[in-house]
Amino acid sequence: MKSKIQEYHNNFFTIGKTKILAFTIMTFMAGTILTSCGETSKKDAKTVKEDTKELNKDLEQGAKDTSEEIKTTVKADWENFKTASETAVENTENNIKDLREKIAKASQNEKTRLTVQLDKLELKNKELKEKLAERAVEFKQDIVEFNESTIESEKRFEREFNHDMKEMGTALKDLFKNNED
């Protein structure tokens, strides 16, 4: 997934830089021709102006095409991430239910302590579920702006979400460890 996004990201910048460089060179050449030839005919100036307009249109179309590629890639990657994350959240909910059953068999002091800890983890899981749902709504309603920074933004969101899920998984596994030591 990362390599695919990086590939599109690199292609965007390579294409973008190339087109911007070409536009800059064309504009510079047009300006040089116009200023160095004081006797340049109006026809030549008009041709250069039309060429510059055409080049601008090409650059705009290239940027639009690249934006569409980014949008398609980011949306596809999001759907994969969303599906995997929803499964992870659901599995965590199931683990919490199982741990509640295990806590019911513990001593009264341990029940209280473990229930408090598990309640905190359950709240964190609900927060992550809501965070994921909010992000899904943003994608569904096209609130997400698709440009070169979108790729980095999505990577950051996924990294943070996965980190939080991993921490929660570790905390759930360690819940009874303090009890067993």
Side-chain angles (χ1 to χ4, degrees):
M1 177 170 69
K2 286 184 180 181
S3 64
K4 189 176 183 183
I5 291 174
Q6 287 174 341
E7 179 181 324
Y8 279 104
H9 190 259
N10 290 340
N11 286 343
F12 173 77
F13 281 106
T14 303
I15 292 168
K17 287 179 182 178
T18 304
K19 288 188 177 190
I20 290 170
L21 181 62
F23 174 73
T24 304
I25 291 171
M26 290 291 291
T27 304
F28 180 73
M29 289 174 57
T32 303
I33 291 170
L34 289 175
T35 56
S36 67
C37 302
E39 301 283 326
T40 303
S41 69
K42 289 182 180 180
K43 182 180 178 183
D44 290 341
K46 185 177 179 180
T47 303
V48 170
K49 190 174 181 179
E50 288 172 1
D51 288 346
T52 303
K53 285 181 182 179
E54 188 65 33
L55 185 57
N56 272 336
K57 287 179 186 176
D58 289 347
L59 284 172
E60 289 172 7
Q61 184 62 42
K64 185 178 178 181
D65 292 346
T66 301
S67 179
E68 285 300 316
E69 289 176 15
I70 289 172
K71 183 177 183 177
T72 302
T73 300
V74 169
K75 278 191 170 190
D77 291 343
W78 164 252
E79 286 301 321
N80 291 334
F81 172 77
K82 180 179 154 243
T83 301
S85 297
E86 286 173 340
T87 301
V89 168
E90 186 178 316
N91 288 340
T92 302
E93 288 173 347
N94 292 333
N95 287 340
I96 290 171
K97 287 177 187 174
D98 292 344
L99 288 172
R100 288 217 185 270
E101 292 173 10
K102 191 173 178 181
I103 289 173
K105 298 174 186 173
S107 68
Q108 188 58 38
N109 285 343
E110 289 302 306
K111 274 185 193 179
T112 304
R113 184 182 68 78
L114 293 172
T115 299
V116 168
Q117 291 177 349
L118 192 58
D119 288 345
K120 288 178 186 177
L121 293 173
E122 187 173 34
L123 180 62
K124 179 67 175 172
N125 194 54
K126 285 180 183 178
E127 289 171 359
L128 287 171
K129 188 175 183 178
E130 289 171 6
K131 185 177 180 180
L132 190 64
E134 287 172 14
R135 194 68 172 165
V137 167
E138 290 174 2
F139 270 94
K140 189 173 185 176
Q141 295 176 351
D142 273 339
I143 295 173
V144 176
E145 185 177 326
F146 294 97
N147 55 37
E148 62 273 2
S149 66
T150 305
I151 295 170
E152 283 304 314
S153 173
E154 284 310 302
K155 283 183 192 177
R156 187 173 40 257
F157 177 86
E158 291 175 13
R159 212 174 21 253
E160 290 170 4
F161 189 90
N162 286 333
H163 177 265
D164 290 347
M165 286 300 296
K166 185 176 180 180
E167 279 185 342
M168 186 174 332
T170 301
L172 286 170
K173 287 178 186 174
D174 292 346
L175 189 65
F176 278 92
K177 278 190 178 179
N178 293 338
N179 205 22
E180 296 168 357
D181 290 342

